Structure formats: C-alpha cells, structure tokens
Amino acid sequence: MLNTCSIDHLHDYLERENYEMEPRALAEVEAHLEQCSDCRSYLEDLTLLKGELAAMPLKALPDGFEEELHARLVEEANVKLVSKSSRISNFTHSTSFKVLSGIAAVLIIAIVVVGTAGNPLRNLLSKAKSEEASIDMAMGGAPAPAEMPAASMDRDGTVVFEESMNNAKGFGETQSAPVEPGAAPGSSDVFDPSLFGKMIIRNGSVSLEVEEFDTAYTQIEEIVKALEGYIESADTYSTPIYDNNGRRGDLQGGTVSLRIPSTRFDAAMQQIKTLGTVTHSNISSYDVTENYVDTQSRIKNLEARELRLRELLQRAEVIEDIMEIDLQLANVRTEIDSLNAIIKSYDKSLQMSSIQVSLNEKPLSESTITTLDDNLFDRMRANFIRSINAVVQMFQTILVGLVAILPFLLIFGAVLYLVLRFVRKFLRNRKQSL
Amino acid sequence: MTSNDAVLIQKSKQGDVHSFELLISKYQVYAYNIAWRMLGNEEDAKDATQETLIKVFKGLDKFKENSEFSTWLYTITVNTCRDQLRKRKKVMTLSVDDTEEKVSIQLVAEESADPAVRLEQKEVAGQLLSALGKIPEFQKTAVLLRDVYGFSYEEIGAIENCSVGTVKSRISRGRHGLRSIILNERSNKIQEGGTI
Ligand SMILES: [Zn+2]
C-alpha cells in the first residue's frame, strides 16, 4: 500500500484545518482517498492517534515547586551582584604536562566540591532564619507612630521586635493614622481627602546598595520615626559570597515596607536615597479622584434609597411587601458597606504612602570579612589550595629540569659506561698478565 | 510577545524576582510537562525545569527583545532535557549496551505488514506513553510539541532551531513510528497468546 501512496500528504491532510493545503494538493489527496482504502484507514489511525495525544492531561507542578524556585531565584538575584570570577584562578594557567593538569583538575574538583557542599545547607539555614524573622505587620500597623515597636537586628539578620504583637493591635485604622497638618490632632475622623482637590495615591520603591545592612536599617527606622510613619513589614536574608582568596562572608539584604504620611512622601524618598547607592527607584502615582468621588456619590444615592425603603417599610401592610422591602434593604446595606470599605482603603492609601525599600550590602572588600567560624574553614581551604599550587609547581619544575638535562645525562652516561668498561678491561688484562 | 511580558522582562533583568515569577507563571507548567514527557519521571522533570528557569533568569540579558519569550524558554527547556538525556546515555553505555534502543528502531523501521490492521482507541490510550518512549528523541519532541502541547510548526522550528520542513518530517515520522509500535505490540501479544 504505502509504497505507492504519499504518507507526507496524509500528514498534511491531517493538519489541513491548521495549515491550509494548496487547493490542487488537497484535491489530489481527496481523490486518492476516494479510491485507496489503505490510505483511508491510515488516516483514520493518525486521526485517532492525534486525538489521543491531544487528550494527554497536563501534569500539575509538583508540591513546593514554586517555593523552591523562589528561594533559588532570590539567591541568584543576589549572587548576580557578586563577581563570580574569583574562584581559584591560580589553577587555570596552562601547562604542557597533561598528567599534572589532570591531577590538578581532580584536586580542584575535590576542593570545589568540598567547598560548595557546605553552601546549600548554610543557605538553607540562613533562609529559614530570615523567614522566621520576617514578621508581617501589615495586619496591625503601629498603635501610634510615637510608640512604634522598636525593631533591632542581630548579626544573623534576625529581626527582634521588642514589643509584643498584642500591643500593636488595632492600629492602622483611619482614626489613629497621622493626620494632615491642618486637621486637629486627636480628632482624625475630620480628615476628608476630597478637601485636598486632586486625590493622588503615591507609592514608591527604592533599591539601595549599602555598606552595612544593620546601619541602614537603623537609619530607616529613624527616618520613619521622624516622619511619623511606621514599618509595615521587614524581610531579611543573607547570601554567602566569595572574595579573591576564596574566603566567605555573608551579604545581608532585606526588603522593608514603610508607611509614611503622604504629605511627607517626598521627604521620605529623598532621605532614604541618601542611605546608599541608589540602584533603582520608582514612584507611582494613581489619580483616584474620579473613582473616589464616584464611589462617594454612589454611597449617597444608596443611602437616600435606604431612607426611602425604610419609609416604605413603615407604610407597608401586606406581608409580601414587607418581605420584599426587607430584602432590598439588606441588599442596599451590603452595597453601602462594601463601598464604604473601598473609601476607607482609599483614605488609608491617600494618607499613608507606602514605600518599599530593598537593601543589599555591597560585596565586601577582603578586609571587612571578619566572622571567625567561616574564615577558619575558608583560610584552611585557601592555604590548602596554595600548598597544592606549590606542589604542582614543584613537580612541574622537576619534570621540566629532567627533560632539559636529559641529553646531557645520556651523553654523560654513555661516556661513563665506556670509561668503566675500559677500566674493567684494563684491570682484567693486568690480572691475567700477572 | 505581549507588551506585558516586555515590562516583566525589563523588571526581571534588574533582578526583580517577583516580576520574573509573574512572567514565567504562564509557561512553567508547559516547561515542566515537556520535561516530564522527555525525561520520563517527575523527579528529573522537576530538576530540569528548575534548572531551566534559573538559566532563563540568569540569561535574560542574552534574550533578544524582538523574539518570542515563550519560545526562548521552551528552547532552553528542551536543550536542558537533552543534556540530561545525553548524560544518562553516557552512564548507560558504560554499563549496559543499548539493545533496547536498537529494538525500538527496528520496530519503527518495520512496516506494519497488514494494511487491514487498524488501531483501536483502547490500545492507543493504553500504550501511547510507552510508545512515545520508543521513538527517536527528536521525533518524540516534535510530536510532543505539536500534538500534545499544540505548538505551531514555526514555533517548533524556532525551539529546535531547524526548518519547518524538518519539523514536519520529524512529526510525520514520529506519528508513523507510534502507530507501527502500537500495532507491533499487538501482533506480539497475539503471537504470545497463540503459543500458549
Ligand atoms: Zn493510498
């Protein structure tokens, strides 16, 4: 059958809905299919096969896939900053002795394996630590800006909030948030954003490279305090790095979410930018005036409607009417509540701008890596590498030397041999003659 | 490429992990499934997909803005899996000879003798997976991308870095091989049944 028939055309025919066939080719195939039952059944098989292939289910990502990827991506994002060229450059110079470089390569592999084997574990540990430390305060906020729970950080990047979370409860509401300078302090529900003309929500993000994470964090705390804002959440992590000697240190980094009174937003952005080298900064503003006014007027309309329904309810006598009005009243109330919630969240965003600050330590220069336990291992490794370099070099020198004097050795050996033979012969002759 | 992707790529290049995760959210399931079908088990598929996505993140600077991001991602997926398979093969040839492969190639080469023999849906559904494992790798990938995941010829050509003609011939040979293997499987069974 298939020797005389064109299989390729049948595959084209199979795909004709996705890829239009040339009219003539199409006509030919169709004419052939008319008279060739083999091709018809082959095509049916293909159709069945294609259908079954298309029906093969997609497999969902395995559990924990995204979490694992996230951790690795965060690590990559930080490693990106650190130069990777610093690993054991001494070994890579070319040598003509393949055997020796082979030995060296094996040793390098051994060293690198030993060196890196510790890392995933350590990363995992520090990751776990920083996760513990990321206390999300978004739900709470601060009781009052002046009573912010003081956060301090220890060497591992663990955030220690000195005040208990219970104390921080129940703030972040519009009432307790700092108010515009014009409004009377204490009576913050006077605040009406629509009084300020255009209503613009402004948020910002700044990425900084800083000398020392802890210092920068403390400075941010001070800025936030001075501007009567609060820290919403803080998330820290640390990344191991290598320098030219193969030593390891940890780079600390973190993301801090701040809330700053919107009137002081610019000041906050400016001050934060002075804390380090700005690698990225962004300000977004959303004009919500229209939405805000619109939402407010919808609330007013609904409230008017609610009032009318109540009046109707009082006058209603038939039970069906009462039930119907009740139902409508409930619906109106639900809608009013949800619109009020929207207004409330607008209010919060209008009063308090949010700023995301990411802090990353600059890759440290040699002298500043001082953590002892890390360094002991790293120094040992560096010295080990150095000794091996020395041994390799010694072998190289000896071999080079040997090869270089080989011709002389050969000649010297030959001469020595001849001399010795001559001497022996001479002695034997003398013995015989005696 | 959607303009949304372009924005996310820009942010991802600056090291924004969150943007990158958004960017790949549409594609990672497909990448995982391609890897799963190519490698044949979940563990390897997971590792290969993670490796792929990390490579994509690290290599974003090398991505050309005017090309399709998804295609680029799938290219890396396929190549990563292929590296895996190559490594596996090396280990295999050290220990076992590749008789299994020879058998499968033989099966593909054999024309199904009787044209009257037809596929049955039940056996296709049951044997598709094992049959996929027996056709040559490049044909298998082409069939997977076209018939299982619905990629166009052009996309597959971009992923595999070959012409549409090559893609089409790989697909038809792949389908043809699948059919032959499934039919052969049946005739083997019948023979076994006959001798008992
Ligand atoms: Zn025919």
Side-chain angles (χ1 to χ4, degrees), chain A residues 25-38:
Chain A
L26 183 68
E28 267 171 30
V29 174
E30 277 174 345
H32 179 78
L33 282 170
E34 274 296 305
Q35 43 169 299
C36 179
S37 65
D38 287 351

Side-chain angles (χ1 to χ4, degrees), chain B residues 7 10 23 47-48 56 60 68 72 88 90 93 101 126 128 132-133 136 142 144 156 171 175 178 180 182 191:
Chain B
V7 173
Q10 216 43 53
L23 175 67
D47 291 347
V56 168
L60 268 178
E68 194 74 35
W72 185 62
R88 232 189 248 175
K90 253 181 209 163
T93 47
E101 210 177 334
L128 206 46
L132 268 171
L144 277 177
I156 301 170
I171 293 172
R175 287 179 191 145
L178 286 177
S180 303
I182 294 172
Q191 272 170 14

Side-chain angles (χ1 to χ4, degrees), chain A residues 26 70 156 185 187 275:
Chain A
L26 183 68
H70 180 79
D156 299 321
S187 58
L275 299 181

Side-chain angles (χ1 to χ4, degrees), chain A residues 15 42 44 50 59 70, chain B residues 21 33 118 147 175-176:
Chain A
E15 296 272 12
Y42 184 78
E44 269 174 56
K50 193 169 166 59
K59 196 177 182 61
H70 180 79
Chain B
E21 283 166 341
N33 274 269
R118 295 270 309 280
D147 290 340
R175 287 179 191 145
H176 185 82

Side-chain angles (χ1 to χ4, degrees), chain A residues 230-245:
Chain A
Y230 58 89
I231 293 176
E232 214 169 35
S233 66
D235 191 0
T236 66
Y237 45 81
S238 64
T239 318
I241 53 144
Y242 296 87
D243 71 0
N244 290 323
N245 290 331

